[in-house]
Amino acid sequence: MVPGTLADRVRGAVLGERLADSGYFDHACLKHLIDSHQSGVRDYSVPLWNLLMFDAFLRTAMGSAAREPDRRIAA
């Protein structure tokens, strides 16, 4: 695998902290999806794309929450 490729990005996102910390996924199952797909055993492109998009959603949502301005009305 060539560093900096889409394969690296997907592996990093799917096996990264954001999805792990979400509590929704089993790490062993995610690793199986990645390993099987990247070795050519099975095409898991659709679930991997969905996981990549969910990771992007979490990154955006967490970033938005951190940047959310204080909306209290100044008296």
Side-chain angles (χ1 to χ4, degrees), residues 22-49:
S22 75
Y24 293 120
F25 305 102
D26 177 276
H27 182 78
C29 182
L30 295 178
K31 186 163 177 6
H32 171 75
L33 287 175
I34 289 285
D35 292 343
S36 295
H37 182 78
Q38 290 182 344
S39 69
V41 171
R42 184 146 181 209
D43 180 7
Y44 285 116
S45 55
V46 171
L48 290 173
W49 178 258

Side-chain angles (χ1 to χ4, degrees), residues 1-2 5 8 10 12 17-19 25 28 35-36 39 45-46 48 50 56 60 66 69:
M1 194 169 0
V2 178
T5 63
D8 288 335
V10 171
E17 288 182 16
R18 253 185 308 276
L19 291 185
F25 305 102
D35 292 343
S36 295
S39 69
S45 55
V46 171
L48 290 173
N50 289 329
T60 301

